[in-house]
Amino acid sequence: MRSLRKTDRLLPTTKMLILLLLSFLSVEASNGSAQARSSSYSEDVGSSVGSHFDQLDREQEGPITGLRIRANDRYVVSIQVRYGDSWSNPEGGMAGSPYNVELFLGEGIVRVLGRFGSHVEYLAFRTNQGRIFAFGSNFGPGTFFSAEPSFPNTVLRSISGRSGSSVDAIGFHWGTEQ
């Protein structure tokens, strides 16, 4: 009969601790990749003029609950987004009257259609409850685009782009609902 050395008794415990540690690390790694799979970005469409804006930090204030858009018969003049109860700064100019959109509780934007040239000419937002809100002119020489999330059960979480006296370019950041 063989006698157990002190190191032989520790070996199974050490192996168990290593396996436990590795399982925690693999769970953390899979959680990180799940997070990465729940967000996506539809690149900016439009021109390269104007100043860059980015509302990514506003996501922490809550989901998108409203839009305030100014548009004329040629392009979108400005866009303002309400995150939770707080409105972002307007991006673009202040000409014309704003049109306000209120989203229902649990409603999120799941697709954006539009057209762009030297400015963003047209934007149409579709929600997960089937409502559609359109702004600007749907007729003109611009290039058509469609933006939607890359993963299921995600909605519009914030916007970015370029603006001056109008919305010159816009991009869409998608993620899970809060």
Side-chain angles (χ1 to χ4, degrees):
M1 182 167 167
R2 185 180 134 198
S3 68
L4 291 176
R5 293 178 298 180
K6 186 175 183 179
T7 56
D8 290 339
R9 288 187 303 241
L10 292 177
L11 189 58
T13 306
T14 305
K15 284 182 180 178
M16 188 126 107
L17 286 174
I18 290 171
L19 288 174
L20 189 59
L21 179 63
L22 288 174
S23 68
F24 279 127
L25 291 174
S26 68
V27 167
E28 285 301 312
S30 68
N31 285 344
S33 63
Q35 177 69 21
R37 287 191 307 268
S38 66
S39 63
S40 58
Y41 169 60
S42 301
E43 292 190 29
D44 290 4
V45 294
S47 71
S48 59
V49 301
S51 299
H52 173 76
F53 69 87
D54 177 331
Q55 296 183 354
L56 287 170
D57 59 334
R58 301 301 299 259
E59 288 183 34
Q60 303 309 315
E61 295 175 32
I64 292 176
T65 57
L67 299 171
R68 185 176 288 150
I69 310 278
R70 295 174 190 262
N72 59 31
D73 61 349
R74 295 182 322 229
Y75 54 85
V76 175
V77 176
S78 71
I79 184 169
Q80 192 173 8
V81 181
R82 188 175 66 203
Y83 297 91
D85 295 326
S86 176
W87 285 99
S88 69
N89 292 326
E91 305 297 348
M94 297 306 289
S97 298
Y99 181 78
N100 289 323
V101 171
E102 300 284 327
L103 298 181
F104 299 136
L105 184 63
E107 186 174 28
I109 296 167
V110 295
R111 187 170 188 196
V112 182
L113 300 175
R115 206 179 58 257
F116 66 92
S118 58
H119 309 282
V120 174
E121 299 170 357
Y122 174 75
L123 289 172
F125 298 89
R126 182 178 169 270
T127 74
N128 56 1
Q129 294 186 9
R131 296 198 301 160
I132 298 173
F133 308 101
F135 309 94
S137 174
N138 194 19
F139 304 102
T143 303
F144 176 79
F145 74 88
S146 175
E148 53 191 16
S150 298
F151 304 103
N153 304 316
T154 56
V155 297
L156 183 64
R157 296 288 293 145
S158 66
I159 62 170
S160 61
R162 302 185 75 75
S163 67
S165 60
S166 67
V167 178
D168 300 310
I170 192 164
F172 306 97
H173 303 265
W174 311 91
T176 56
E177 296 181 71
Q178 283 188 330

